[in-house]
Amino acid sequence: MNANAQTRPSAAPARPAFGTVLVDQMSVANFRDGRWSDAEIKPTGPIEIHPAAHVLHYASTCFEGFKAYRRADGGVHVFRMDKHIERMRQSARQLVLPEPDTAQLAQMVIDVIDRCRDQVPDAPGALYLRPLLFGTLANIGAASIPASEACLIVLASPVWDYFSGGMKPLRIYVEDQANRTAAHLGMVKTGGNYAAAMGPTLAARKAYNVDQVLFCPDGSVQETGAANFLLIRDKHIVTRSLDSTFLHGVTRDSLLTMARDMGFKVEERVFDVAEMFDWVKNGEAALSGTAAVLAGIGTLVHRNGEHKVGTGEIGPITQKLRAALVAIQNGQAEDRYGWTRKV
Ligand SMILES: Cc1ncc(COP(=O)(O)O)c(C=O)c1O
């Protein structure tokens, strides 16, 4: 199958791969002379970009990813859009890119949803929203000059159940030497971080037949290429404390907040590979993120051998926490946190 995204005007064929189908309209704004232009709705398709554009040389780009859900009554609700916009502004600041205006970006998202309301899939599908910011300043001598011109685009993609083949316990390779990315940029959602993780991830897939790589530079557990990592046992969760080395997941924050309210002891702290291997002898381990919510890990693969996580199946507490968050996202449980917004 062609891995390029296609636009699609109406109802989807059965379950295309995540991100390969886009709705046919997008919202675009440009930053020039110190201000953002009004946003415009345009057909989703190729854009013109100068070959000297800052992003093409100096990787000045960041993005976000979050979802809007269709509920049983037909209403469409976005999940924690404000938190994602805040994170995008933080990414832009770290990359010295013009910061998107919070209200304008929220309106661009809502405008795109409005144009494709009929294409928001029913649960367990959702509309995945992808704001994208990149430096357009045409200057190939700008390695240490920030992009004073930039483009902001909001794309949307109908996505179907991430676990359409049934939920399977993940096999994860534990990389205890290499870094996922530069330590000060781990918390920034920038393309370069994904490019940096790509090589080690593909190599581990080939060598060990794993789904993802858990990066643990110098033995300190961080995260995978696209999800945060949690250890779970009884009413106890351990996950890395927030620092600049990894992405501060909105799903992670949501799960920890809910777990605390459910009476869990939640420890956010640094921990190492040895402690993780010990924990999983009779505990659970899972990955959190927008795409999969909370995905159970069955096996941790290390260069010195394999470690089964609990029974090797998805743990019962992982499933319970996942179901509790999905219920809020889909409106089946009360949203006492104000995380969902009808649009
Ligand atoms: C590197 C990385 N870590 C963690 C996450 C999970 O973040 P969130 O829960 O905000 O989707 C993502 C997904 O966006 C990611 O790309």
Side-chain angles (χ1 to χ4, degrees):
M1 188 181 134
N2 185 338
N4 290 337
Q6 310 281 325
T7 60
R8 184 188 53 82
S10 61
R15 295 181 172 157
F18 189 97
T20 55
V21 174
L22 300 174
V23 303
D24 54 8
Q25 298 190 60
M26 61 185 188
S27 181
V28 183
N30 288 290
F31 189 90
R32 188 167 294 168
D33 301 328
R35 60 176 291 276
W36 285 103
S37 69
D38 290 342
E40 263 183 274
I41 292 283
K42 295 191 172 174
T44 303
I47 52 167
E48 246 184 34
I49 186 161
H50 197 289
H54 202 275
V55 62
L56 298 180
H57 303 262
Y58 306 115
S60 47
T61 174
C62 58
F63 62 97
E64 267 307 320
F66 54 98
K67 285 179 179 170
Y69 299 83
R70 182 185 296 290
R71 296 200 173 163
D73 65 1
V76 175
H77 295 244
V78 279
F79 185 72
R80 304 199 73 178
M81 173 165 69
D82 299 354
K83 188 99 176 147
H84 284 277
I85 290 179
E86 197 184 303
R87 189 169 71 185
M88 185 152 195
R89 284 166 54 87
Q90 174 191 281
S91 292
R93 276 196 299 278
Q94 295 290 119
L95 297 167
V96 204
L97 270 164
E99 268 178 64
D101 175 79
T102 302
Q104 181 182 37
L105 179 50
Q107 194 56 49
M108 288 169 75
V109 171
I110 291 166
D111 288 347
V112 170
I113 296 174
D114 256 342
R115 304 292 173 117
C116 67
R117 216 162 258 287
D118 58 326
Q119 295 173 57
V120 182
D122 292 327
L127 187 71
Y128 180 78
L129 295 148
R130 170 58 69 87
L132 165 70
L133 172 68
F134 52 93
T136 51
L137 178 74
N139 179 352
I140 58 169
S144 56
I145 298 172
S148 53
E149 293 176 8
C151 179
L152 177 64
I153 299 182
V154 175
L155 297 171
S157 168
V159 294
W160 285 269
D161 190 1
Y162 194 78
F163 296 110
S164 53
M167 248 173 130
K168 291 191 196 81
L170 298 171
R171 260 176 84 78
I172 300 293
Y173 181 70
V174 177
E175 168 56 69
D176 60 0
Q177 287 163 338
N179 287 291
R180 181 181 72 94
T181 175
H184 68 298
L185 282 186
M187 67 189 285
V188 177
K189 201 163 169 62
T190 185
N193 288 349
Y194 298 85
M198 182 90 71
T201 304
L202 296 191
R205 272 194 196 143
K206 197 166 168 203
Y208 298 103
N209 188 30
V210 290
D211 299 295
Q212 283 296 332
V213 171
L214 178 62
F215 288 90
C216 314
D218 296 323
S220 183
V221 178
Q222 283 180 349
E223 66 169 338
T224 67
N228 294 130
F229 178 81
L230 282 77
L231 290 171
I232 304 166
R233 182 166 57 212
D234 302 325
K235 283 212 144 186
H236 188 183
I237 296 177
V238 176
T239 191
R240 188 182 178 88
S241 38
L242 297 180
D243 61 26
S244 68
T245 66
F246 74 102
L247 193 75
H248 303 175
V250 176
T251 316
R252 171 192 178 280
D253 179 79
S254 309
L255 288 162
L256 297 189
T257 302
M258 288 173 54
R260 283 192 177 101
D261 287 349
M262 289 157 86
F264 280 69
K265 174 183 171 192
V266 174
E267 274 186 272
E268 294 177 73
R269 61 174 170 82
V270 169
F271 59 99
D272 65 13
V273 168
E275 181 178 350
M276 172 175 73
F277 288 150
D278 195 46
W279 178 288
V280 301
K281 285 179 193 155
N282 60 353
E284 302 178 24
L287 298 184
S288 76
T290 294
V293 185
L294 190 64
I297 298 171
T299 311
L300 293 173
V301 182
H302 186 244
R303 59 197 151 82
N304 296 335
E306 297 199 358
H307 298 251
K308 203 194 267 188
V309 179
T311 60
E313 295 303 317
I314 297 170
I317 309 164
T318 298
Q319 295 189 46
K320 188 174 148 189
L321 284 168
R322 178 176 194 279
L325 182 52
V326 168
I328 292 180
Q329 290 168 334
N330 288 336
Q332 287 148 354
E334 188 203 344
D335 173 16
R336 48 196 280 227
Y337 306 103
W339 286 338
T340 58
R341 171 172 165 193
K342 188 162 192 204
V343 290

